[in-house]
Amino acid sequence: MLLLVLSALLLLFCNLDVWYFLRGVQVFVEAWFLPRIEDILAEQSIDGMVLPHDLDYLGHMNNSRYLRECDFARFHHYMRNGLFMASRKLGAKMVVGASTIRYRRSLAFREAFQIRTKVLGWDEKAFYLEQRFVSKRDDFVSAVMLCRQNVVGSSPESIIEFIYKKQIECPLFPEELKHWISFISASSQALRAESGLEDKNKRRGSTPLGLLYTTQNWLCFH
């Protein structure tokens, strides 16, 4: 019987990222019992530590782990400011449309850090967020990520109005965010042209707006 259970667990761990789902449950439970954040633009933080399964061959936190940790931090953020439950009630889904991460200094084994997440603004289709990995050792920003969270089935304005029962004016976008959005638009246009969609749209007399689902990692050491 014990051998059967062990075999089932081995099969489960080999075919499913069990730790990912367990971590998701942990984040959900923690955020559920924390006080609600009423300001959608307020920065929130979540603590983390570099563990053995986060390491690469150089003994640093693997590049892909940063993106994974950002997923959990955004979920925690949406749980506390009401975006997650509001989108569910409106029948909407929030999916990552684009992300760019800039690495500034490696996070070492057992190094404690915070992920500080905040909403920078929104447009008719997406929320834009910044996420920072801040070392607890010296408050150095080890990595910074920009994320476009597309809203499918609704709109950011509708979700915000559902939460706060009023419209909230979007703040002015920072310059770096404006440049990043321009990059996304240029990349999307180039890919449509490459695949021939631009010519097809011109013949039809319309140009629908497509969503770009891409992640670009910029590596920069200081």
PDB file of all heavy atoms in Angstrom, residues 181-206:
ATOM      1  N   ILE A 181       5.226  50.946 -23.938  1.00  0.00           N
ATOM      2  CA  ILE A 181       3.980  50.735 -24.685  1.00  0.00           C
ATOM      3  C   ILE A 181       4.209  50.974 -26.173  1.00  0.00           C
ATOM      4  O   ILE A 181       3.666  50.253 -27.030  1.00  0.00           O
ATOM      5  CB  ILE A 181       2.863  51.646 -24.138  1.00  0.00           C
ATOM      6  CG1 ILE A 181       2.476  51.232 -22.714  1.00  0.00           C
ATOM      7  CG2 ILE A 181       1.631  51.593 -25.036  1.00  0.00           C
ATOM      8  CD1 ILE A 181       1.501  52.169 -22.036  1.00  0.00           C
ATOM      9  N   SER A 182       5.033  51.963 -26.508  1.00  0.00           N
ATOM     10  CA  SER A 182       5.366  52.225 -27.911  1.00  0.00           C
ATOM     11  C   SER A 182       6.102  51.036 -28.519  1.00  0.00           C
ATOM     12  O   SER A 182       5.866  50.663 -29.670  1.00  0.00           O
ATOM     13  CB  SER A 182       6.225  53.485 -28.025  1.00  0.00           C
ATOM     14  OG  SER A 182       5.509  54.622 -27.594  1.00  0.00           O
ATOM     15  N   PHE A 183       6.991  50.441 -27.728  1.00  0.00           N
ATOM     16  CA  PHE A 183       7.700  49.242 -28.203  1.00  0.00           C
ATOM     17  C   PHE A 183       6.720  48.112 -28.490  1.00  0.00           C
ATOM     18  O   PHE A 183       6.817  47.419 -29.508  1.00  0.00           O
ATOM     19  CB  PHE A 183       8.727  48.799 -27.162  1.00  0.00           C
ATOM     20  CG  PHE A 183       9.080  47.345 -27.253  1.00  0.00           C
ATOM     21  CD1 PHE A 183       9.885  46.868 -28.273  1.00  0.00           C
ATOM     22  CD2 PHE A 183       8.592  46.431 -26.327  1.00  0.00           C
ATOM     23  CE1 PHE A 183      10.199  45.527 -28.373  1.00  0.00           C
ATOM     24  CE2 PHE A 183       8.898  45.093 -26.413  1.00  0.00           C
ATOM     25  CZ  PHE A 183       9.706  44.637 -27.443  1.00  0.00           C
ATOM     26  N   ILE A 184       5.772  47.883 -27.585  1.00  0.00           N
ATOM     27  CA  ILE A 184       4.778  46.826 -27.782  1.00  0.00           C
ATOM     28  C   ILE A 184       3.990  47.065 -29.062  1.00  0.00           C
ATOM     29  O   ILE A 184       3.774  46.149 -29.866  1.00  0.00           O
ATOM     30  CB  ILE A 184       3.819  46.761 -26.578  1.00  0.00           C
ATOM     31  CG1 ILE A 184       4.555  46.326 -25.318  1.00  0.00           C
ATOM     32  CG2 ILE A 184       2.672  45.796 -26.852  1.00  0.00           C
ATOM     33  CD1 ILE A 184       3.706  46.369 -24.068  1.00  0.00           C
ATOM     34  N   SER A 185       3.563  48.306 -29.266  1.00  0.00           N
ATOM     35  CA  SER A 185       2.784  48.641 -30.460  1.00  0.00           C
ATOM     36  C   SER A 185       3.598  48.424 -31.723  1.00  0.00           C
ATOM     37  O   SER A 185       3.110  47.844 -32.703  1.00  0.00           O
ATOM     38  CB  SER A 185       2.315  50.090 -30.367  1.00  0.00           C
ATOM     39  OG  SER A 185       1.608  50.464 -31.533  1.00  0.00           O
ATOM     40  N   ALA A 186       4.864  48.862 -31.711  1.00  0.00           N
ATOM     41  CA  ALA A 186       5.722  48.695 -32.888  1.00  0.00           C
ATOM     42  C   ALA A 186       5.980  47.221 -33.173  1.00  0.00           C
ATOM     43  O   ALA A 186       5.956  46.782 -34.333  1.00  0.00           O
ATOM     44  CB  ALA A 186       7.035  49.435 -32.679  1.00  0.00           C
ATOM     45  N   SER A 187       6.219  46.441 -32.112  1.00  0.00           N
ATOM     46  CA  SER A 187       6.455  45.015 -32.294  1.00  0.00           C
ATOM     47  C   SER A 187       5.222  44.320 -32.850  1.00  0.00           C
ATOM     48  O   SER A 187       5.310  43.460 -33.732  1.00  0.00           O
ATOM     49  CB  SER A 187       6.861  44.391 -30.959  1.00  0.00           C
ATOM     50  OG  SER A 187       7.043  43.002 -31.086  1.00  0.00           O
ATOM     51  N   SER A 188       4.046  44.698 -32.343  1.00  0.00           N
ATOM     52  CA  SER A 188       2.800  44.094 -32.816  1.00  0.00           C
ATOM     53  C   SER A 188       2.566  44.403 -34.292  1.00  0.00           C
ATOM     54  O   SER A 188       2.188  43.519 -35.076  1.00  0.00           O
ATOM     55  CB  SER A 188       1.629  44.610 -31.972  1.00  0.00           C
ATOM     56  OG  SER A 188       0.427  43.986 -32.350  1.00  0.00           O
ATOM     57  N   GLN A 189       2.810  45.650 -34.683  1.00  0.00           N
ATOM     58  CA  GLN A 189       2.645  46.034 -36.089  1.00  0.00           C
ATOM     59  C   GLN A 189       3.620  45.280 -36.984  1.00  0.00           C
ATOM     60  O   GLN A 189       3.260  44.832 -38.081  1.00  0.00           O
ATOM     61  CB  GLN A 189       2.842  47.544 -36.241  1.00  0.00           C
ATOM     62  CG  GLN A 189       1.722  48.373 -35.628  1.00  0.00           C
ATOM     63  CD  GLN A 189       1.992  49.861 -35.716  1.00  0.00           C
ATOM     64  OE1 GLN A 189       2.909  50.286 -36.418  1.00  0.00           O
ATOM     65  NE2 GLN A 189       1.213  50.643 -34.996  1.00  0.00           N
ATOM     66  N   ALA A 190       4.861  45.121 -36.526  1.00  0.00           N
ATOM     67  CA  ALA A 190       5.859  44.407 -37.311  1.00  0.00           C
ATOM     68  C   ALA A 190       5.480  42.944 -37.495  1.00  0.00           C
ATOM     69  O   ALA A 190       5.626  42.375 -38.584  1.00  0.00           O
ATOM     70  CB  ALA A 190       7.224  44.516 -36.639  1.00  0.00           C
ATOM     71  N   LEU A 191       4.964  42.317 -36.436  1.00  0.00           N
ATOM     72  CA  LEU A 191       4.566  40.912 -36.528  1.00  0.00           C
ATOM     73  C   LEU A 191       3.350  40.728 -37.429  1.00  0.00           C
ATOM     74  O   LEU A 191       3.261  39.743 -38.177  1.00  0.00           O
ATOM     75  CB  LEU A 191       4.269  40.363 -35.134  1.00  0.00           C
ATOM     76  CG  LEU A 191       5.488  40.196 -34.208  1.00  0.00           C
ATOM     77  CD1 LEU A 191       5.048  39.819 -32.810  1.00  0.00           C
ATOM     78  CD2 LEU A 191       6.438  39.144 -34.766  1.00  0.00           C
ATOM     79  N   ARG A 192       2.412  41.690 -37.370  1.00  0.00           N
ATOM     80  CA  ARG A 192       1.257  41.610 -38.274  1.00  0.00           C
ATOM     81  C   ARG A 192       1.690  41.772 -39.724  1.00  0.00           C
ATOM     82  O   ARG A 192       1.192  41.069 -40.607  1.00  0.00           O
ATOM     83  CB  ARG A 192       0.225  42.678 -37.895  1.00  0.00           C
ATOM     84  CG  ARG A 192      -0.550  42.378 -36.634  1.00  0.00           C
ATOM     85  CD  ARG A 192      -1.856  43.173 -36.572  1.00  0.00           C
ATOM     86  NE  ARG A 192      -1.612  44.603 -36.599  1.00  0.00           N
ATOM     87  CZ  ARG A 192      -1.487  45.363 -35.525  1.00  0.00           C
ATOM     88  NH1 ARG A 192      -1.549  44.803 -34.319  1.00  0.00           N
ATOM     89  NH2 ARG A 192      -1.291  46.655 -35.626  1.00  0.00           N
ATOM     90  N   ALA A 193       2.619  42.681 -39.970  1.00  0.00           N
ATOM     91  CA  ALA A 193       3.113  42.879 -41.331  1.00  0.00           C
ATOM     92  C   ALA A 193       3.865  41.643 -41.817  1.00  0.00           C
ATOM     93  O   ALA A 193       3.739  41.226 -42.978  1.00  0.00           O
ATOM     94  CB  ALA A 193       4.016  44.111 -41.384  1.00  0.00           C
ATOM     95  N   GLU A 194       4.638  41.051 -40.930  1.00  0.00           N
ATOM     96  CA  GLU A 194       5.419  39.862 -41.279  1.00  0.00           C
ATOM     97  C   GLU A 194       4.527  38.693 -41.653  1.00  0.00           C
ATOM     98  O   GLU A 194       4.853  37.891 -42.534  1.00  0.00           O
ATOM     99  CB  GLU A 194       6.305  39.498 -40.084  1.00  0.00           C
ATOM    100  CG  GLU A 194       7.248  38.341 -40.312  1.00  0.00           C
ATOM    101  CD  GLU A 194       8.072  38.056 -39.077  1.00  0.00           C
ATOM    102  OE1 GLU A 194       8.778  38.975 -38.625  1.00  0.00           O
ATOM    103  OE2 GLU A 194       7.995  36.915 -38.558  1.00  0.00           O
ATOM    104  N   SER A 195       3.385  38.583 -40.983  1.00  0.00           N
ATOM    105  CA  SER A 195       2.476  37.466 -41.247  1.00  0.00           C
ATOM    106  C   SER A 195       1.449  37.782 -42.333  1.00  0.00           C
ATOM    107  O   SER A 195       0.604  36.950 -42.645  1.00  0.00           O
ATOM    108  CB  SER A 195       1.739  37.076 -39.958  1.00  0.00           C
ATOM    109  OG  SER A 195       0.977  38.167 -39.472  1.00  0.00           O
ATOM    110  N   GLY A 196       1.517  39.009 -42.878  1.00  0.00           N
ATOM    111  CA  GLY A 196       0.603  39.395 -43.942  1.00  0.00           C
ATOM    112  C   GLY A 196      -0.729  39.904 -43.474  1.00  0.00           C
ATOM    113  O   GLY A 196      -1.625  40.156 -44.299  1.00  0.00           O
ATOM    114  N   LEU A 197      -0.908  40.083 -42.172  1.00  0.00           N
ATOM    115  CA  LEU A 197      -2.193  40.540 -41.652  1.00  0.00           C
ATOM    116  C   LEU A 197      -2.476  41.987 -42.035  1.00  0.00           C
ATOM    117  O   LEU A 197      -3.626  42.372 -42.222  1.00  0.00           O
ATOM    118  CB  LEU A 197      -2.232  40.397 -40.127  1.00  0.00           C
ATOM    119  CG  LEU A 197      -2.276  38.962 -39.592  1.00  0.00           C
ATOM    120  CD1 LEU A 197      -2.271  38.971 -38.068  1.00  0.00           C
ATOM    121  CD2 LEU A 197      -3.521  38.242 -40.090  1.00  0.00           C
ATOM    122  N   GLU A 198      -1.419  42.799 -42.140  1.00  0.00           N
ATOM    123  CA  GLU A 198      -1.615  44.202 -42.496  1.00  0.00           C
ATOM    124  C   GLU A 198      -2.246  44.324 -43.876  1.00  0.00           C
ATOM    125  O   GLU A 198      -3.176  45.093 -44.092  1.00  0.00           O
ATOM    126  CB  GLU A 198      -0.276  44.958 -42.453  1.00  0.00           C
ATOM    127  CG  GLU A 198       0.271  45.189 -41.057  1.00  0.00           C
ATOM    128  CD  GLU A 198      -0.509  46.234 -40.301  1.00  0.00           C
ATOM    129  OE1 GLU A 198      -1.391  46.890 -40.907  1.00  0.00           O
ATOM    130  OE2 GLU A 198      -0.261  46.393 -39.096  1.00  0.00           O
ATOM    131  N   ASP A 199      -1.732  43.534 -44.846  1.00  0.00           N
ATOM    132  CA  ASP A 199      -2.284  43.590 -46.202  1.00  0.00           C
ATOM    133  C   ASP A 199      -3.722  43.105 -46.233  1.00  0.00           C
ATOM    134  O   ASP A 199      -4.579  43.676 -46.916  1.00  0.00           O
ATOM    135  CB  ASP A 199      -1.423  42.738 -47.145  1.00  0.00           C
ATOM    136  CG  ASP A 199      -0.033  43.328 -47.332  1.00  0.00           C
ATOM    137  OD1 ASP A 199       0.109  44.563 -47.136  1.00  0.00           O
ATOM    138  OD2 ASP A 199       0.894  42.566 -47.660  1.00  0.00           O
ATOM    139  N   LYS A 200      -3.997  42.040 -45.470  1.00  0.00           N
ATOM    140  CA  LYS A 200      -5.361  41.520 -45.435  1.00  0.00           C
ATOM    141  C   LYS A 200      -6.320  42.540 -44.844  1.00  0.00           C
ATOM    142  O   LYS A 200      -7.433  42.730 -45.317  1.00  0.00           O
ATOM    143  CB  LYS A 200      -5.398  40.227 -44.621  1.00  0.00           C
ATOM    144  CG  LYS A 200      -4.647  39.068 -45.262  1.00  0.00           C
ATOM    145  CD  LYS A 200      -4.684  37.844 -44.367  1.00  0.00           C
ATOM    146  CE  LYS A 200      -3.892  36.702 -44.980  1.00  0.00           C
ATOM    147  NZ  LYS A 200      -3.879  35.514 -44.093  1.00  0.00           N
ATOM    148  N   ASN A 201      -5.866  43.205 -43.773  1.00  0.00           N
ATOM    149  CA  ASN A 201      -6.717  44.204 -43.128  1.00  0.00           C
ATOM    150  C   ASN A 201      -6.961  45.398 -44.027  1.00  0.00           C
ATOM    151  O   ASN A 201      -8.046  45.978 -44.038  1.00  0.00           O
ATOM    152  CB  ASN A 201      -6.081  44.663 -41.807  1.00  0.00           C
ATOM    153  CG  ASN A 201      -6.092  43.554 -40.768  1.00  0.00           C
ATOM    154  OD1 ASN A 201      -6.968  42.702 -40.783  1.00  0.00           O
ATOM    155  ND2 ASN A 201      -5.107  43.578 -39.876  1.00  0.00           N
ATOM    156  N   LYS A 202      -5.942  45.793 -44.795  1.00  0.00           N
ATOM    157  CA  LYS A 202      -6.105  46.915 -45.722  1.00  0.00           C
ATOM    158  C   LYS A 202      -7.122  46.577 -46.806  1.00  0.00           C
ATOM    159  O   LYS A 202      -7.929  47.400 -47.214  1.00  0.00           O
ATOM    160  CB  LYS A 202      -4.757  47.276 -46.348  1.00  0.00           C
ATOM    161  CG  LYS A 202      -3.806  47.982 -45.391  1.00  0.00           C
ATOM    162  CD  LYS A 202      -2.479  48.285 -46.060  1.00  0.00           C
ATOM    163  CE  LYS A 202      -1.518  48.969 -45.079  1.00  0.00           C
ATOM    164  NZ  LYS A 202      -0.200  49.230 -45.709  1.00  0.00           N
ATOM    165  N   ARG A 203      -7.071  45.334 -47.287  1.00  0.00           N
ATOM    166  CA  ARG A 203      -8.033  44.925 -48.320  1.00  0.00           C
ATOM    167  C   ARG A 203      -9.452  44.887 -47.763  1.00  0.00           C
ATOM    168  O   ARG A 203     -10.418  45.138 -48.472  1.00  0.00           O
ATOM    169  CB  ARG A 203      -7.647  43.545 -48.871  1.00  0.00           C
ATOM    170  CG  ARG A 203      -6.423  43.583 -49.799  1.00  0.00           C
ATOM    171  CD  ARG A 203      -6.336  42.312 -50.612  1.00  0.00           C
ATOM    172  NE  ARG A 203      -6.084  41.144 -49.779  1.00  0.00           N
ATOM    173  CZ  ARG A 203      -4.875  40.678 -49.516  1.00  0.00           C
ATOM    174  NH1 ARG A 203      -3.811  41.310 -49.986  1.00  0.00           N
ATOM    175  NH2 ARG A 203      -4.718  39.607 -48.783  1.00  0.00           N
ATOM    176  N   ARG A 204      -9.574  44.579 -46.468  1.00  0.00           N
ATOM    177  CA  ARG A 204     -10.895  44.560 -45.841  1.00  0.00           C
ATOM    178  C   ARG A 204     -11.349  45.952 -45.435  1.00  0.00           C
ATOM    179  O   ARG A 204     -12.498  46.152 -45.077  1.00  0.00           O
ATOM    180  CB  ARG A 204     -10.861  43.663 -44.597  1.00  0.00           C
ATOM    181  CG  ARG A 204     -10.661  42.184 -44.921  1.00  0.00           C
ATOM    182  CD  ARG A 204     -10.450  41.406 -43.637  1.00  0.00           C
ATOM    183  NE  ARG A 204     -10.180  39.995 -43.914  1.00  0.00           N
ATOM    184  CZ  ARG A 204      -9.784  39.130 -42.993  1.00  0.00           C
ATOM    185  NH1 ARG A 204      -9.595  39.553 -41.751  1.00  0.00           N
ATOM    186  NH2 ARG A 204      -9.551  37.872 -43.305  1.00  0.00           N
ATOM    187  N   GLY A 205     -10.388  46.886 -45.415  1.00  0.00           N
ATOM    188  CA  GLY A 205     -10.731  48.261 -45.070  1.00  0.00           C
ATOM    189  C   GLY A 205     -10.789  48.543 -43.600  1.00  0.00           C
ATOM    190  O   GLY A 205     -11.335  49.551 -43.168  1.00  0.00           O
ATOM    191  N   SER A 206     -10.214  47.648 -42.775  1.00  0.00           N
ATOM    192  CA  SER A 206     -10.199  47.878 -41.335  1.00  0.00           C
ATOM    193  C   SER A 206      -8.937  47.274 -40.757  1.00  0.00           C
ATOM    194  O   SER A 206      -8.338  46.367 -41.334  1.00  0.00           O
ATOM    195  CB  SER A 206     -11.421  47.252 -40.660  1.00  0.00           C
ATOM    196  OG  SER A 206     -11.417  45.857 -40.840  1.00  0.00           O
TER     197      SER A 206
END
